[in-house]
């Protein structure tokens, strides 16, 4: 089976979760190739149409798998190859014209994947050709390490209190202001910005910190939460995306109100406990590692191929 991945390449690379998912399906005797979309907005994406048609003619895929609504809409401008579109959240939460274009994409796609129930409900999609399927996590890249070893590797103080912020400070969606106010109430802990690190370094950070803090205004199915769980990292998060479902029942992980005092209270409880979590087992038992998600993606591809065979 031949799959063509259509996804944004505006940053000079594909998103890590797009690559990881594609490579994990490649291990299931699925041949993968990529089409890089370069451009902003609908017109920018539309400018890739001729190049995409040429790529389809040369590669002759059985299925096109597009990531995000605009990529899916671009892929659906041809009707010879069935399109599977994954919606990751920003294409739905943004509202306005982007949501409208994403809804058009949903109707044109042979099958739709929503990475969380919340974005599926926000999209108000009524047809049956969909599945709610989060992106899988890489259990080999993210794993548990002794906290002292991770802190030594990063040059951190062994007795310090470190809180890893789930994103870049300047990203307004991540709501750094709320996190900053909460940390100021939590007895002198240090807030670490998650920006500019490679994935090996992120693994060290998650093992070295006391907890991960998420205060985002909106999310879908944030990978950083699942990655932190694989590292046994305690979590404090507001109720956003599918985080509540993801961490439910995991000792050392808390959902907080969007108030600095409540977030600070949860942080102080983690500092007092000073224990890691059983999040790794929770992720694996929930079938959220890359290999399990890959098999479910394979089933989607096979079903789409049966119902929508390639035609020129």
């Amino acid at each position: 089976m031949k799959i063509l991945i259509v996804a944004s390449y505006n940053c000079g690379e594909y998103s890590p979760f797009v690559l990881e998912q594609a490579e994990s399906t490649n291990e299931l005797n699925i041949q993968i190739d990529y089409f890089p979309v370069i451009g902003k907005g609908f017109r920018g994406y539309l400018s890739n149409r001729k190049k995409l048609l040429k790529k389809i003619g040369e590669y002759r895929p059985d299925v096109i798998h597009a990531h995000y609504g605009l990529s899916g809409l671009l892929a659906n401008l041809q009707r010879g190859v069935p399109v599977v579109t994954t919606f990751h959240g920003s294409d739905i939460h943004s509202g306005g014209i982007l949501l409208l274009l994403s809804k058009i994409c949903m109707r044109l796609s042979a099958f739709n994947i929503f990475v969380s129930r919340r974005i599926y409900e926000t999209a108000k999609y009524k047809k049956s050709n969909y599945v709610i399927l989060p992106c899988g996590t890489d259990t080999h890249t993210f794993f548990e390490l002794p906290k002292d070893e991770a802190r030594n590797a990063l040059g951190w103080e062994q007795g310090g209190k470190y809180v890893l912020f789930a994103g870049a400070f300047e990203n307004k969606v991540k709501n750094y202001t709320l996190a900053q106010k909460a940390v100021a109430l939590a007895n002198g802990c240090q807030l670490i910005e998650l920006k500019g690190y490679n994935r090996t370094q992120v693994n060290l950070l998650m093992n070295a910190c006391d907890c991960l803090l998420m205060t985002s205004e909106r999310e879908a199915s944030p990978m950083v939460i699942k990655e932190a769980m694989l590292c046994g990292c305690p979590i404090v998060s507001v109720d956003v995306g599918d985080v509540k479902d993801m961490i439910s029942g995991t000792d050392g992980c808390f959902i907080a109100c969007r108030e600095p005092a409540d977030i600070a209270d949860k942080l102080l409880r983690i500092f007092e406990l000073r224990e890691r979590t059983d999040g790794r087992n929770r992720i694996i038992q929930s079938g959220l590692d890359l290999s399990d998600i890959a098999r479910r993606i394979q089933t989607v591809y096979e079903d789409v191929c049966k119902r929508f065979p390639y035609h020129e």
Side-chain angles (χ1 to χ4, degrees):
M1 192 188 320
K2 297 171 69 175
I3 308 298
L4 179 64
I5 305 296
V6 176
S8 172
Y9 201 74
N10 283 320
C11 296
E13 60 184 3
Y14 298 104
S15 295
F17 53 83
V18 171
L19 285 175
E20 288 174 354
Q21 185 179 96
E23 290 171 3
S24 63
T25 58
N26 201 11
E27 297 175 3
L28 299 174
N29 199 30
I30 295 174
Q31 184 178 336
I32 299 290
D33 202 352
Y34 299 86
F35 179 81
V37 180
I38 300 175
K40 299 287 187 177
F42 177 65
R43 290 186 178 181
Y45 275 63
L46 187 61
S47 67
N48 292 267
R49 183 172 182 271
K50 288 185 178 179
K51 291 181 180 178
L52 176 57
L53 291 176
K54 181 181 178 183
K55 179 68 175 182
I56 292 170
E58 293 171 349
Y59 183 56
R60 295 179 61 85
D62 298 293
V63 174
I64 295 173
H65 188 169
H67 288 268
Y68 292 93
L70 285 182
S71 290
L73 191 57
L74 168 66
N76 274 297
L77 292 178
Q78 56 77 44
R79 305 306 291 163
V81 183
V83 177
V84 173
T85 303
T86 294
F87 297 90
H88 292 275
S90 59
D91 38 13
I92 305 298
H93 290 312
S94 298
I97 187 65
L98 185 54
L99 176 58
L100 176 61
L101 293 173
S102 292
K103 286 192 171 188
I104 294 172
C105 171
M106 291 172 207
R107 290 186 172 273
L108 294 173
S109 296
F111 200 85
N112 297 292
I113 298 173
F114 300 92
V115 298
S116 75
R117 180 163 294 280
R118 185 166 291 188
I119 66 166
Y120 161 72
E121 292 172 348
T122 301
K124 297 179 180 178
Y125 188 65
K126 302 299 182 182
K127 294 189 177 183
S128 61
N129 60 330
Y130 78 93
V131 68
I132 297 169
L133 188 62
C135 291
T137 47
D138 187 347
T139 57
H140 300 291
T141 298
F142 295 96
F143 54 90
E144 296 172 284
L145 287 168
K147 182 189 285 189
D148 58 345
E149 291 184 14
R151 289 194 171 190
N152 283 335
L154 292 168
W156 289 6
E157 294 180 8
Q158 289 297 336
K161 297 177 181 177
Y162 298 95
V163 175
L164 183 62
F165 183 65
F169 290 162
E170 75 268 16
N171 187 337
K172 292 182 178 180
V173 173
K174 303 298 182 182
N175 201 350
Y176 167 64
T177 301
L178 176 57
Q180 191 177 34
K181 290 178 180 178
V183 165
L185 299 174
N187 292 351
C189 61
Q190 185 174 342
L191 192 61
I192 306 297
E193 182 179 20
L194 187 54
K195 176 185 176 182
Y197 297 100
N198 63 38
R199 293 170 78 70
T200 300
Q201 292 169 327
V202 172
N203 184 65
L204 275 177
L205 289 167
M206 288 179 170
N207 278 283
C209 70
D210 291 286
C211 80
L212 176 81
L213 175 60
M214 175 168 281
T215 53
S216 301
E217 296 291 344
R218 59 181 183 271
E219 295 281 352
S221 180
M223 293 298 295
V224 68
I225 294 292
K226 289 171 275 189
E227 291 163 355
M229 292 179 73
L230 286 176
C231 297
C233 179
I235 295 166
V236 175
S237 176
V238 296
D239 186 7
V240 64
D242 65 356
V243 177
K244 188 174 183 178
D245 292 336
M246 198 66 61
I247 69 174
S248 176
T250 304
D251 291 341
C253 294
F254 301 93
I255 294 294
C257 300
R258 292 182 179 275
E259 299 175 357
D262 191 52
I263 295 171
D265 177 67
K266 303 297 192 298
L267 291 174
L268 290 172
R269 290 171 65 180
I270 286 175
F271 296 148
E272 183 180 352
L273 291 171
R274 301 187 66 84
E275 294 178 355
R276 307 305 280 176
T277 77
D278 192 35
R280 185 175 185 85
N281 285 336
R282 173 66 185 274
I283 291 294
I284 293 172
Q285 290 169 5
S286 298
L288 292 173
D289 61 286
L290 280 173
S291 59
D292 284 331
I293 296 299
R295 285 188 286 270
R296 295 179 67 182
I297 293 287
Q298 179 187 35
T299 299
V300 169
Y301 292 159
E302 290 172 347
D303 182 59
V304 167
C305 282
K306 290 176 184 176
R307 294 189 294 117
F308 302 93
Y310 175 89
H311 62 275
E312 297 185 88

